[in-house]
Amino acid sequence: MSQQPQKIGLILSGGGARAAYQVGVLKAIAEFLPRRARSPFEVICGSSAGALNAVTLAVNARHFRTGVKYLLGIWNNSQVSNIYRSDVLGVFSNTVRWLAGLLLSLIGINRMNRVSLLDNSPLAVFLEETLPCEKIQENIDAGVLHALSIAASGYGSGHSVTFYQGVKDIKPWKRTRRVGMETKIGIEHLLASSAIPFIFPAVHIHREYFGDGSMRQIAPISSALHLGADKVLLMGAWHAEDEEERRSRMDTYPTLAQIAGHALDSIFLDGMAVDLERVQRINETVRLIPEELRAATDMRHIDVLVITPSQPLEKIAERYIAQLPWTIRLLLRSVGVMQRSGANLVSYLLFDKHYCRALIELGYQDAVKRREEIVQFLGCDPSLPECDMPQ
C-alpha cells in the first residue's frame, strides 16, 4: 500500500511592503517546478500583507506559475497610491481627522472611530478589482487546494482569529487566546489582516473589529497544522542578525519613528520567532521519545523550512526613502522618519516599485542559493532542471 504524500503548508508572514521579499522566493520556486505544475502547497496561510500573497496563490492553485506571475505584476509595479492615499487632500484631511479625534478623545468625547494615520481606501478598491475570491472554493472542490487561512486580531475579544476556508473535514479549534473560524474568505478579511494598528483603520467582521493578523499571533505555525499540513515552509520578512549586530550605540532619545519601527518589529517578528523556537523544542523532545511510545503522546516531528532575507530590509529601505510621495515624507518627517533611525518604519510602508523590486531580487537570489534544500523539502528531484512533483 503506497504512502500518502505529505501535505505541504506555506506560511506567509506579515510585514507591510516587506512582503515583496516573499514574491522573489516564490518566483524561484516556480522556476524549480514544471511550467504547468499546480501549487505544491495544499495548505496556505497568510497574515497582514502576506495574506494578499496567500490569497493570490490560492486563487491560482491550479497553475502555480500563473499565480506567481500575477504577484510579480502586482509588486513590480507597486505604487504607494495603490495602498493608501498620498494626494494632498487625502493626507491633509486624514491627518486633521486623526488629530481632532485624538483631542476629542482626551476630553472624553469618543471621535476616534475609523481614524488612522493613513487612509487605505485605495487598497480596498485594488483588491476588489484584482482578486476573484470565488475561485478559492472552486480550487478546494477540485482538490488542488486543501485549505486557505487568513489571520486577524480581534480588538474586542483579544483573540488571534484564523479565518479559514477548506475541505469539509477540517474542524474549528479553540486554544488560549486563539481560535480557528470557518468562513468564506473575502476582501474584508484581507483588509482586516493588513490593518496595521494606528496606521490603517480596523475592519468590522461579524460582530467585532479586527486589526493586523500578526498581533496576538502567538502560534502562527499551529494554524497550518490544524488545517492539515504535515510540514511547513515559512517565509519571513526579517533578517536573522546576531545579538552584537543588532545592538547599536544610541546616545539620543529615540524618535517616534524609531519607537514605531520597534513596535512593528515586535508585532511582525516576535511571535513567529517564539513559535519557531517552540517547534524546535518539540522536535527535540519527540526525537528523545522511543518510537513505540510516540503514538501515545500525540506528538510528532514537524519539518519546518524557514526562508528569511540575507540582508536587513531596513538598510535597503534607506536607499529608497526619497521614492515616497512628498506628502507622505512630510507627514512622516514630523515623527523623525527621515532620520536614519526611521528607516525601519519606512521598510513597512514603502510600497514603491523600486524598493519592492529590490526585495524581490533579494528573495529570488536567496532562494536560488538554497535550491537543493528547497526542492528536496518539496519532495522532488533536485538534479532535474525542473523537478517533478509527486502526484
Side-chain angles (χ1 to χ4, degrees), residues 169-282:
D169 60 352
I170 298 175
K171 303 297 182 185
W173 64 91
K174 187 172 184 178
R175 300 291 186 271
T176 303
R177 292 292 181 183
R178 53 191 173 95
V179 297
M181 183 181 299
E182 184 178 11
T183 191
K184 185 176 180 180
I185 301 293
I187 300 304
E188 67 274 17
H189 299 96
L190 289 175
L191 291 172
S193 185
S194 58
I196 301 174
F198 302 111
I199 297 176
F200 296 135
V203 177
H204 191 263
I205 300 177
H206 303 312
R207 295 168 296 179
E208 187 174 9
Y209 278 94
F210 288 89
D212 197 284
S214 296
M215 295 189 294
R216 298 268 184 166
Q217 197 178 30
I218 58 176
I221 298 174
S222 69
S223 293
L225 305 181
H226 280 295
L227 295 172
D230 299 299
K231 57 182 184 177
V232 175
L233 174 60
L234 192 160
M235 294 185 194
W238 68 89
H239 173 56
E241 301 170 313
D242 59 37
E243 289 299 318
E244 290 302 320
E245 189 177 2
R246 288 188 63 86
R247 191 179 294 118
S248 58
R249 181 175 177 81
M250 185 174 175
D251 296 323
T252 57
Y253 194 82
T255 64
L256 286 177
Q258 185 174 17
I259 294 172
H262 180 76
L264 290 180
D265 279 352
S266 298
I267 290 172
F268 290 115
L269 311 184
D270 290 355
M272 189 67 73
V274 170
D275 203 26
L276 277 171
E277 189 176 273
R278 183 186 300 116
V279 170
Q280 291 167 355
R281 289 200 306 268
I282 291 174

Side-chain angles (χ1 to χ4, degrees), residues 252-380:
T252 57
Y253 194 82
T255 64
L256 286 177
Q258 185 174 17
I259 294 172
H262 180 76
L264 290 180
D265 279 352
S266 298
I267 290 172
F268 290 115
L269 311 184
D270 290 355
M272 189 67 73
V274 170
D275 203 26
L276 277 171
E277 189 176 273
R278 183 186 300 116
V279 170
Q280 291 167 355
R281 289 200 306 268
I282 291 174
N283 285 343
E284 182 62 23
T285 301
V286 170
R287 189 184 67 82
L288 297 173
I289 298 175
E291 193 169 343
E292 60 274 11
L293 298 178
R294 289 181 189 175
T297 65
D298 196 29
M299 296 176 67
R300 59 192 174 102
H301 181 279
I302 303 298
D303 194 5
V304 179
L305 178 62
V306 182
I307 301 178
T308 58
S310 58
Q311 300 176 29
L313 300 190
E314 62 272 19
K315 297 296 183 183
I316 299 176
E318 286 179 5
R319 306 200 300 262
Y320 298 98
I321 287 179
Q323 299 297 331
L324 280 168
W326 70 268
T327 51
I328 302 299
R329 294 203 308 272
L330 183 63
L331 174 65
L332 297 182
R333 184 177 291 131
S334 63
V335 296
V337 87
M338 291 301 109
Q339 299 179 23
R340 188 171 180 177
S341 61
N344 200 27
L345 174 60
V346 171
S347 71
Y348 291 97
L349 300 178
L350 190 52
F351 291 92
D352 172 78
K353 61 183 179 182
H354 301 92
Y355 172 62
C356 291
R357 288 172 183 175
L359 298 194
I360 290 171
E361 180 61 21
L362 177 62
Y364 179 80
Q365 295 299 333
D366 285 351
V368 167
K369 291 174 184 176
R370 299 177 64 180
R371 179 183 187 275
E372 183 174 350
E373 183 182 6
I374 292 171
V375 296
Q376 285 182 345
F377 183 85
L378 296 178
C380 49

Side-chain angles (χ1 to χ4, degrees), residues 151-170:
S153 180
Y155 281 115
S157 64
H159 289 162
S160 173
V161 179
T162 299
F163 295 104
Y164 72 87
Q165 186 172 347
V167 298
K168 292 182 179 179
D169 60 352
I170 298 175

Side-chain angles (χ1 to χ4, degrees), residues 61-82:
R62 296 171 186 263
H63 199 314
F64 184 66
R65 191 168 291 202
T66 297
V68 173
K69 192 174 181 179
Y70 196 80
L71 283 173
L72 285 167
I74 292 174
W75 289 96
N76 273 323
N77 299 289
S78 177
Q79 299 180 57
V80 166
S81 58
N82 288 338

